Amino acid sequence: MAKLPVAFLLLCCSGCAAGAAASDGASALEHDDECAAGSGEECALSALQLRAHAGEGQCDNTTAPCAASSKCVSKLDGTWSQCVPTEYSEFRSECVKYSSDFRLQAIKAVNLNCPDSKCEGPEWCVRGYLCAQQADGGWSQCISCNKKTFAANCYSWKDNFKVAAQSVCPQNHKCGQSTVA
């Protein structure tokens, strides 16, 4: 059997305790044009999400439960479900690969922020983080207004985003030369 990407194994391995991977999913990926192009782990999630049919998914709490370190999450419309990691280090690397509508449900289900991804409003941020949005709509992300966290992160932000972040945080933390008047 071909070596499968980690994302595929997380999605398709409903029988992981028995060490069995879903062979029909493996053959689907081997014949998928996105995966054949060599995009690796990223193709697994995209290919499987795009091919989901109404009511069919990769997990449910009765017949295909998730491992203890993950949670079964479904899209609001019920067209897709999959196991989502509940450990932050694993979630942060996986969540950026989810479609936007699924990412929001995953964030809510596991109560973890998805750094390095765009937030589309306050409901996208949890645990006290706030959604900072550039005025031009170019970028937005969940940020912490904790003074130390803000200072540690702001130096990697572009000037337009620094202005947005400083306007969201009522303390008006200073970050480099960009400040809100």
Side-chain angles (χ1 to χ4, degrees), residues 2 29 56 67 93 108 144:
L29 286 179
E56 296 178 7
S93 67
K108 289 178 176 181
S144 171

Side-chain angles (χ1 to χ4, degrees), residues 64-144:
C66 297
S69 62
S70 59
K71 185 172 188 174
C72 186
V73 177
S74 299
K75 282 186 173 185
L76 277 179
D77 64 7
T79 59
W80 182 255
S81 65
Q82 75 183 58
C83 297
V84 171
T86 56
E87 307 255 341
Y88 180 69
S89 60
E90 199 173 341
F91 181 76
R92 80 174 286 157
S93 67
E94 293 296 318
C95 67
V96 295
K97 301 172 191 172
Y98 302 154
S99 62
S100 292
D101 57 343
F102 185 78
R103 183 180 309 119
L104 177 58
Q105 297 312 306
I107 290 166
K108 289 178 176 181
V110 299
N111 196 36
L112 294 171
N113 289 301
C114 185
D116 305 321
S117 70
K118 194 170 185 176
C119 57
E120 297 180 26
E123 69 277 10
W124 289 73
C125 305
V126 296
R127 297 184 174 199
Y129 279 60
L130 301 172
C131 185
Q133 299 176 308
Q134 285 181 197
D136 65 4
W139 181 247
S140 61
Q141 76 181 50
C142 299
I143 62 167
S144 171

